[in-house]
Amino acid sequence: MANVTDLQTKYSKLAQEYSKLRAQNQVLKKGVVDEQANSASLKEQLKQRDQSLRKQEQEMDSLSFRNQQLAKRVELLQEELAVSEAKGKKGKHGLQTQSVFDEDLQKKIEENERLHIQFYEADEQHRRQEAELRARLEELEKDSEQHQAVVDGLTTKYMETIERLQSDKARLEVKAQTLEREAKECRMRTEECQQQLRRCQSELNRQVKQSSSVIQEKVPFNDTIIIQCSVDCVFSLWIQLKARDVAGQALSFIQDLVAALLNFHSYTEQRVHIYPRDSSIEPISPLNQKFSQYLHENAAYVRPLEDSFLQLHQSITEDTVTVLETVVKLKSFADNFSSYTHFLQKILPYQLKSLEEECEATLCTAALTAKNLELQSDMKRVTSVFEKLQNYINLLALPSMLTFNTSAVFTQLAACLHSLHDAVKEMSKHYNQKAGLEQELPTITQKLCTTTECLLGSLGSLTSSTGKIATFFSNNLDFFTSSGYSPRGGAVALNPLQAESMLANKKKAAAYIHAIKKPRPQSVPYREALSNRRILTSSTESREGLTQQVQQSQEKIARLEQEKEHWLLEAQLGKVRLEKENQRIADLEAQLAAALGGSPSLQTAAAGTLAQNHEEADAEQKTAGKETTLCTSLVGDEESREQLIKTHYMTRVGELTTQLQISDSKAVHFHSECRALAKRLAIAEKSRETLSEEVKLANQNITRLQDELATTKRSYEDQLSMMSDHLCSMNETLSKQREEIDTLKLGSKGNAKKNKGR
């Protein structure tokens, strides 16, 4: 995308340079034509002077020949006179002959004087003409040198232009080849992505089947919690990425449109100061002064369009919900667009009056008047289309206050954008025709030509940008008219409160995904859930069974209380008996000690007797304990039987508990495996969706790049062919000029040599 933008920028610069060179070429062409006319007239004068000079030379040659003849005749006559004088006085016949000779001599002398006078006058006239021709020849040589210098400068300039264009052509060819290679690489990557997608789809289908079979066969219970939410819709990252991508593309087109509008208004202001009256020579009309003042303020209305749309693009992120109801920055853009539309409405009357003033100029032809009328209708049409766009954008900026069909509004907006492109295209065509007619006027100036060329360039950029915006909007019309975020099962749009709720749920889900390894305290453990499920699904689920169990438990508690009192009484009796026995043992020990106060043998015997008595006492105590136990057993025979039954069932319960724990561990293992498979399945589904979207975007980018590459190729080929034709015509013109200049040089050199020879 960046390479294509650079190419378009360089292409626009190249077009502007070409237009400037074209204007300069026309001026130079006119100068060359004038100089050719002057050179032709000078050549004609030079021919006439050469003819007169040759005629005078012939006359001088004939006069000099006649003079020589007369001189020879005079010499002969003088010789004859001498001879006649030498013969002397030979008579009357000699005198008559002498008088005839004298008369003839006198006539010859007079004729000789007259011829000398004519020769002198012809010589003086020849010298004057030769001096004049020499001065004229020097002037012509100076003019020829100046023309040769101009031609050499033009040749150098055009050769540099040709070299620069050739280098640009080579660079553009290299870029075109690079783009072709990138397109091929994109195709290869697309094919690889498609193959990976097919493999992932097959693998995911296999895992889904396997997971489904495992879940159906092994999992007895699903730990799911149904969460009721007021907004039953899902946050889609694809929609956000698509919305941000679309907003970014629209931002680049809006920037191009803003630049074109700024140039158009600025060059229109410059043209108002130049035509029909040049402000540097005479003051312009008050209407055009006001018009120029309004046009000078265009940046205050055009720049906010780019700034507000940039804020709109920055407000669309991955963490927001992008629908008409939540894009609040669209209101700012709509307000700025309304301001610019009001600006167009304000300057429209001045534009129409300015064109009428051009029609009232003295040199305005009927064709120019017709073109000005067409431009007036074009400007009215462009302003009306901007008003329609303003209405539709304001409708989209206020969806919460109005009830309407947004799809119809977007469709009408796309149609209005195409209408704007057509109107601007027509205005650009009529301006080109008008510029061609203005160049034929005799009072056209170089400043006006340059300003008109710049104005035509800005109109071309405006046509291109409006066409791109219309095409972009039509291509993305399905995305604009799609529901996007909306509650499932309903066509009602998402309001801002629901969008905030959905974002909060999205954050909770993200936090849950990040903390999925940590147990959530509010969730129920799986084993407890299984136990609760068994209890709930068992026969004790009924209320009567639970009541019976409560009654039995109460009876059992009462019986255990009675047993507790009985055993407390038995413990008190045993304690009394133990105290009596201890007292009796103490008395016996005292007696034994008193009785055995004598010999050691007696002490030994007494000790044996004491031990025996102690053993007997223990035996008696055991016998008494047995008797007591027997009495208790006889009394609590029923309790001992119950105790045996309880022990048996407790053993059975322990075995069942062990088996249950083993089963629970297996179930937990299977459940964890199923959860892992489900997670992998969900991740695979997300990756599949992401890959599919990436493949779609890649295909769209490939298609767009191919279209742009084809368009760029065609445009550059057309431009290069036009430039080649133009350069060929310029080369032919330069070759003709060189031939004419060489011919003039050779003619002037030949004349100079002739004059020097004479």
Side-chain angles (χ1 to χ4, degrees):
M1 186 67 186
N3 293 330
V4 175
T5 307
D6 294 338
L7 288 176
Q8 291 176 353
T9 306
K10 291 181 179 178
Y11 171 71
S12 62
K13 290 181 180 178
L14 185 61
Q16 292 178 358
E17 291 291 332
Y18 171 70
S19 62
K20 292 179 181 178
L21 291 175
R22 182 179 175 186
Q24 294 175 0
N25 183 24
Q26 291 177 354
V27 177
L28 292 173
K29 187 185 291 183
K30 186 177 179 181
V32 169
V33 170
D34 295 338
E35 292 299 329
Q36 286 177 353
N38 293 330
S39 177
S41 62
L42 291 174
K43 286 170 69 176
E44 188 66 27
Q45 292 178 5
L46 187 62
K47 279 184 180 180
Q48 293 176 0
R49 296 295 174 85
D50 287 337
Q51 290 177 359
S52 62
L53 184 63
R54 283 194 296 270
K55 186 176 179 181
Q56 291 174 1
E57 286 177 352
Q58 290 176 0
E59 290 178 356
M60 286 180 66
D61 292 337
S62 62
L63 289 173
S64 61
F65 179 72
R66 183 63 178 166
N67 192 15
Q68 290 176 1
Q69 286 181 350
L70 291 174
K72 289 179 180 180
R73 181 66 177 167
V74 168
E75 289 177 357
L76 289 173
L77 290 173
Q78 287 178 355
E79 289 177 357
E80 289 177 357
L81 179 62
V83 171
S84 62
E85 287 178 355
K87 287 181 178 181
K89 306 171 181 178
K90 290 183 178 180
K92 187 178 179 179
H93 181 71
L95 293 172
Q96 292 176 352
T97 306
Q98 183 68 32
S99 64
V100 172
F101 281 134
D102 290 337
E103 291 177 358
D104 192 10
L105 180 61
Q106 186 66 31
K107 291 180 181 178
K108 296 297 183 183
I109 290 170
E110 291 176 356
E111 186 179 0
N112 192 13
E113 289 178 355
R114 183 173 55 80
L115 290 175
H116 272 291
I117 292 169
Q118 290 179 355
F119 178 75
Y120 179 75
E121 290 177 354
D123 191 14
E124 289 294 328
Q125 186 178 3
H126 173 68
R127 287 178 182 176
R128 286 197 302 272
Q129 289 179 353
E130 185 178 3
E132 291 176 357
L133 290 173
R134 285 182 183 280
R136 185 63 177 167
L137 182 61
E138 289 178 357
E139 292 178 359
L140 291 174
E141 287 180 352
K142 290 180 181 179
D143 293 339
S144 176
E145 289 177 357
Q146 292 177 358
H147 288 304
Q148 185 63 34
V150 172
V151 170
D152 293 338
L154 289 174
T155 305
T156 305
K157 187 175 182 180
Y158 283 118
M159 290 299 294
E160 291 176 355
T161 305
I162 291 169
E163 291 177 357
R164 186 171 67 254
L165 291 174
Q166 288 178 352
S167 63
D168 292 339
K169 179 182 177 182
R171 187 169 62 254
L172 292 174
E173 288 178 353
V174 171
K175 288 186 178 180
Q177 293 176 0
T178 305
L179 290 174
E180 288 179 355
R181 286 197 298 271
E182 291 179 356
K184 289 180 181 179
E185 292 177 358
C186 289
R187 291 195 202 98
M188 294 174 63
R189 288 199 297 270
T190 304
E191 292 177 357
E192 292 177 358
C193 292
Q194 289 178 352
Q195 293 177 0
Q196 291 179 1
L197 179 61
R198 286 194 291 270
R199 288 197 297 269
C200 290
Q201 285 179 348
S202 60
E203 180 66 22
L204 289 174
N205 291 329
R206 186 185 63 79
Q207 292 180 1
V208 166
K209 290 180 181 179
Q210 183 179 358
S211 300
S212 300
S213 61
V214 170
I215 289 170
Q216 291 176 0
E217 294 176 0
K218 302 296 183 180
V219 179
F221 175 69
N222 292 326
D223 186 13
T224 59
I225 301 174
I226 300 175
I227 302 174
Q228 298 294 333
C229 183
S230 60
V231 182
D232 189 15
C233 57
V234 181
F235 180 84
S236 177
L237 182 59
W238 177 84
I239 294 176
Q240 288 303 118
L241 295 176
K242 177 67 175 178
R244 183 164 180 80
D245 183 36
V246 168
Q249 296 178 20
L251 177 61
S252 64
F253 295 140
I254 291 293
Q255 289 173 348
D256 295 339
L257 178 64
V258 166
L261 289 173
L262 288 172
N263 292 332
F264 175 68
H265 293 312
S266 299
Y267 292 134
T268 304
E269 181 187 359
Q270 293 180 13
R271 180 182 169 84
V272 167
H273 284 283
I274 297 172
Y275 189 80
R277 298 178 184 176
D278 194 348
S279 60
S280 61
I281 300 173
E282 57 180 333
I284 61 177
S285 63
L287 183 138
N288 280 337
Q289 288 180 358
K290 197 69 174 177
F291 185 33
S292 173
Q293 181 181 356
Y294 286 152
L295 287 175
H296 192 69
E297 301 171 356
N298 69 89
Y301 298 96
V302 180
R303 287 291 184 190
L305 293 176
E306 180 181 356
D307 298 337
S308 59
F309 204 89
L310 177 61
Q311 294 176 1
L312 174 62
H313 174 253
Q314 291 175 352
S315 66
I316 300 174
T317 62
E318 297 179 3
D319 296 330
T320 58
V321 177
T322 303
V323 291
L324 284 175
E325 290 78 5
T326 59
V327 181
V328 295
K329 297 296 182 180
L330 184 60
K331 176 64 177 172
S332 175
F333 176 74
D335 294 339
N336 292 324
F337 196 85
S338 300
S339 300
Y340 178 68
T341 305
H342 294 321
F343 170 71
L344 290 180
Q345 293 172 352
K346 182 171 66 174
I347 66 173
L348 179 61
Y350 295 96
Q351 288 177 330
L352 302 179
K353 292 291 184 181
S354 178
L355 290 174
E356 290 178 359
E357 186 175 342
E358 290 183 9
C359 294
E360 293 173 358
T362 56
L363 296 176
C364 184
T365 61
L368 271 177
T369 304
K371 291 302 171 188
N372 287 332
L373 293 176
E374 291 177 353
L375 282 173
Q376 285 181 346
S377 62
D378 291 336
M379 289 174 181
K380 292 178 182 178
R381 183 183 173 191
V382 169
T383 306
S384 65
V385 173
F386 267 101
E387 291 175 2
K388 290 181 181 179
L389 287 175
Q390 171 197 351
N391 295 330
Y392 289 125
I393 292 174
N394 286 333
L395 280 176
L396 293 176
L398 300 172
S400 59
M401 299 182 182
L402 300 174
T403 57
F404 56 88
N405 188 2
T406 56
S407 300
V409 175
F410 279 116
T411 305
Q412 293 296 327
L413 185 60
C416 281
L417 288 173
H418 283 286
S419 300
L420 178 63
H421 173 60
D422 296 336
V424 174
K425 188 176 180 182
E426 286 294 322
M427 186 168 66
S428 177
K429 183 179 73 174
H430 293 155
Y431 247 116
N432 276 296
Q433 295 173 355
K434 179 184 176 182
L437 294 173
E438 285 180 349
Q439 288 180 358
E440 298 176 358
L441 296 176
T443 58
I444 193 74
T445 60
Q446 180 62 34
K447 185 162 58 172
L448 180 59
C449 290
T450 305
T451 304
T452 305
E453 290 292 335
C454 295
L455 184 60
L456 293 177
S458 65
L459 278 173
S461 301
L462 187 60
T463 305
S464 175
S465 60
T466 52
K468 289 179 181 178
I469 291 174
T471 305
F472 159 76
F473 203 87
S474 299
N475 292 336
N476 294 279
L477 188 59
D478 294 336
F479 176 74
F480 292 138
T481 56
S482 62
S483 60
Y485 297 107
S486 62
R488 294 173 181 169
V492 181
L494 197 69
N495 57 42
L497 295 177
Q498 290 175 334
E500 291 180 2
S501 178
M502 187 169 70
L503 285 177
N505 292 335
K506 184 239 179 185
K507 292 179 180 179
K508 289 181 181 179
Y512 180 81
I513 297 244
H514 287 301
I516 198 166
K517 295 182 179 180
K518 299 179 181 180
R520 298 188 62 176
Q522 63 270 24
S523 63
V524 181
Y526 190 74
R527 292 183 180 179
E528 185 178 352
L530 286 176
S531 177
N532 293 334
R533 181 175 180 272
R534 281 196 302 271
I535 293 172
L536 291 173
T537 55
S538 64
S539 61
T540 60
E541 188 177 359
S542 63
R543 188 171 182 179
E544 295 178 355
L546 293 174
T547 305
Q548 291 177 1
Q549 288 182 2
V550 170
Q551 290 177 358
Q552 291 176 1
S553 299
Q554 289 177 354
E555 292 176 357
K556 190 174 182 180
I557 290 170
R559 188 168 59 251
L560 290 174
E561 288 291 338
Q562 292 177 359
E563 290 180 357
K564 179 182 177 182
E565 292 178 357
H566 171 70
W567 287 112
L568 287 174
L569 182 59
E570 289 292 334
Q572 290 178 358
L573 292 173
K575 188 177 181 181
V576 170
R577 289 176 182 173
L578 180 60
E579 290 177 356
K580 288 181 179 180
E581 194 64 31
N582 289 332
Q583 185 66 33
R584 188 172 66 82
I585 289 169
D587 292 341
L588 289 173
E589 288 179 354
Q591 291 176 5
L592 182 61
L596 296 177
S599 63
S601 59
L602 291 174
Q603 290 180 357
T604 305
T609 304
L610 182 59
Q612 186 177 1
N613 291 332
H614 198 290
E615 290 177 359
E616 289 178 356
D618 290 335
E620 288 179 358
Q621 188 175 0
K622 288 180 181 180
T623 304
K626 286 180 181 181
E627 290 177 355
T628 306
T629 304
L630 183 58
C631 292
T632 306
S633 298
L634 290 175
V635 174
D637 186 21
E638 185 177 357
E639 285 80 359
S640 62
R641 182 170 174 271
E642 184 178 356
Q643 184 67 30
L644 292 173
I645 295 171
K646 183 178 179 182
T647 304
H648 172 71
Y649 279 110
M650 288 298 293
T651 306
R652 182 62 178 165
V653 167
E655 294 175 357
L656 292 174
T657 304
T658 304
Q659 294 179 1
L660 180 61
Q661 289 177 353
I662 294 171
S663 300
D664 287 342
S665 62
K666 290 181 179 180
V668 169
H669 176 68
F670 287 137
H671 178 64
S672 61
E673 287 184 354
C674 291
R675 288 183 64 184
L677 289 173
K679 290 177 183 177
R680 290 176 61 186
L681 179 62
I683 294 170
E685 286 289 339
K686 291 181 180 178
S687 63
R688 183 177 67 82
E689 292 177 358
T690 305
L691 290 174
S692 63
E693 294 301 328
E694 289 178 356
V695 168
K696 288 181 181 178
L697 293 175
N699 290 327
Q700 293 177 358
N701 289 330
I702 289 170
T703 305
R704 181 173 54 78
L705 288 174
Q706 288 176 351
D707 295 338
E708 291 179 357
L709 180 62
T711 306
T712 306
K713 278 185 176 180
R714 285 197 299 271
S715 62
Y716 280 119
E717 287 174 358
D718 295 338
Q719 291 294 326
L720 289 174
S721 64
M722 291 173 64
M723 292 298 291
S724 300
D725 297 337
H726 180 67
L727 290 173
C728 289
S729 63
M730 290 300 298
N731 288 329
E732 291 177 359
T733 306
L734 290 174
S735 62
K736 290 180 181 178
Q737 291 177 357
R738 288 197 192 97
E739 291 176 358
E740 292 176 357
I741 292 169
D742 293 337
T743 305
L744 290 173
K745 283 184 178 179
L746 291 174
S748 62
K749 287 180 181 178
N751 293 328
K753 287 181 179 178
K754 286 182 181 180
N755 293 326
K756 288 179 180 178
R758 291 172 185 171

